[in-house]
Amino acid sequence: MNSSAAGGDGKHDDESALAEFLSSLMDYTPTIPDELVEHYLARSGFQCPDLRLTRLVAVASQKFITDVASDALQHCKARLSAPVKDKSKQPKEKRLILTMDDLSKALREHGVNVKHQEYFADNPSTGMDPSTREEN
Amino acid sequence: MNGIPIALENLHSRSLSSSFASNAITVAVAQICLKAGCNGARTSVLHALADIAGRYIQALARSAAEAANARGRTNSNLLDITRAIEDLCSNSGFRFASDPMRPLLKSAVLKEIAAFVRSADEIPFARPMRRKEAEKVRVLMSFAQVGKEPPLRQVPRWLPCFPELWEKGKRKALVDSGLEGFGSDPVQNPDPKRRLVVVNRELPVVRARVKFRIGLGKDTRKSKK
């Protein structure tokens, strides 16, 4: 009896916390505006008249981008703090400028592979052996 | 999104796919990066991250819509969105992810988002975005509702009324082309004095005479001889 009452109180607390969180979303302004999020949602077939759920999607996306940016920043700091053999090539200013390498490493942890092209060629047979090129 | 390689040349084709939405989300992503502590970023980095942000929102929306449709609903709810967020977080993992009987409303992803909202400062978008005004839908009354008879016999009475200038415009077009009265039923509207008005039509460009022969290309005139 007591455990069921305690379980009921816990469930009530969880529901109230969730309701409070959803109501707090109306006071929080996400960086990605509601109009932009609604545009992307409509393109994907998402329908919901509740603005709180649109804000939830916006906040979830903002959290994802923030996590990726923070991870990329860590990689950038590690790259700048790495010892450089050639002192002349060492950058004078240690400004944190994100590069594709930093972003690629950060996104790999989140399951997104951003592959950088190794080189660009003018036709498919560039770089191949002449014997294989003749066969083709 | 799940380990799918995104070739950079697809992200560099912004000249073809650049739009207001992609430019706006680039600005939002730049603001987030600045708040995270970055002094700057390469242009390609910003564009790549903006593209990924747009794809993330669309993946969330698509997953939530599919979850709702699978349960016989057209409108998505909180459970669908929570399920979609958990699907996208499956790569990095979240608490109690291995428990298949976990209650969705107590999901760890929702608690993480709530903690993010409490801790992170608000970063409003750089400029207010104008919302597209809802298109005003004109309600057209049918012939039966207005109490009029359709001007043409084949038009049913439940169709919306023709525009007011339709009759005037139609009569003017017939007069201009010289075909007034043409096409009317000769049995019901006999007009013995009606003459076919030949309209002098000249081609703007002098064209060669077209010759063609019927009969699979064989010259039947030779066989007759």
Side-chain angles (χ1 to χ4, degrees), chain A residues 14 38 47 96 111 113 117, chain B residues 1 3 6 9 76 106 131:
Chain A
D14 289 333
E38 284 171 5
Q47 286 184 3
L96 299 169
N113 293 330
Q117 286 283 35
Chain B
M1 227 359 131
I6 303 173
E9 66 255 16
S76 302
K106 293 181 188 177
R131 186 181 287 272

Side-chain angles (χ1 to χ4, degrees), chain B residues 21-39:
Chain B
S22 60
N23 291 334
I25 203 164
T26 304
V27 172
V29 163
Q31 286 184 264
I32 294 172
C33 289
L34 273 175
K35 186 65 183 176
C38 304
N39 295 125

